[in-house]
Amino acid sequence: MCSSDGRPRDARTPRYDDPWYDALAAGWGESDVTEAPDTAPPAAADVYLEVQRSAAFQEVRSRYRRFVVPAAAGFLSWYVAYVVAATSAPDLMARPVAGAVNVAMLAGLGQFLSTFLLTWAYARHARLRRDRAALELRWDTQELTRGTKGGVA
């Protein structure tokens, strides 16, 4: 079996340099040799509490909140303004803009456009500002729950 770059790959040895390779999480690639560990691995609840208290986790949550709270507030305000304008100012919403297109139609299309833009902005923000740190936390958590060396930085 060869890797994507043409080099031969040992099927028994999982690659740890690829962060998307999830062999250990699925239980594959583990050795068949069962050795008694020197110490018992920590309880999962303790590991997750340790990760939750870590500075890296707090930074990921902070980045998430700094984007989501203003974005949700802005989008909700825009939606409520559209509904209020449609119900309380029908003359404004019925004002023609070009031919049969009126202000209400443009605002409604603006709702769809802003939904797509917000989705794109969220995905971009997650990819650029949170995914790498969250993936590193995931790897640290897996290492801690398995009792291997490593930890939350």
Side-chain angles (χ1 to χ4, degrees):
M1 180 165 51
C2 291
S3 64
S4 61
D5 59 0
R7 292 181 297 159
R9 184 184 328 156
D10 185 7
R12 292 170 286 146
T13 306
R15 287 184 44 213
Y16 297 109
D17 59 335
D18 184 1
W20 296 108
Y21 184 75
D22 205 7
L24 292 179
W28 301 339
E30 296 177 4
S31 65
D32 294 333
V33 179
T34 56
E35 298 176 10
D38 295 338
T39 60
D46 296 335
V47 169
Y48 289 115
L49 286 174
E50 179 183 344
V51 169
Q52 186 179 11
R53 290 183 191 117
S54 72
F57 181 82
Q58 296 303 323
E59 180 63 25
V60 170
R61 293 298 296 168
S62 174
R63 289 177 182 179
Y64 172 78
R65 287 186 190 115
R66 280 194 305 253
F67 179 84
V68 168
V69 170
F75 187 78
L76 185 62
S77 300
W78 161 232
Y79 175 74
V80 169
Y82 172 72
V83 172
V84 168
T87 57
S88 65
D91 293 336
L92 170 70
M93 299 300 270
R95 184 173 297 158
V97 175
V101 178
N102 60 18
V103 173
M105 292 175 92
L106 289 179
L109 290 173
Q111 290 286 316
F112 284 106
L113 179 63
S114 63
T115 301
F116 292 123
L117 286 174
L118 183 61
T119 303
W120 170 80
Y122 177 81
R124 183 176 185 274
H125 180 268
R127 184 182 72 245
L128 295 177
R129 306 213 190 278
R130 293 192 325 265
D131 285 353
R132 171 85 45 204
L135 186 61
E136 289 171 4
L137 279 171
R138 176 179 174 220
W139 280 100
D140 289 342
T141 304
Q142 287 179 355
E143 289 176 357
L144 289 172
T145 55
R146 291 192 180 281
T148 61
K149 294 181 181 177
V152 178

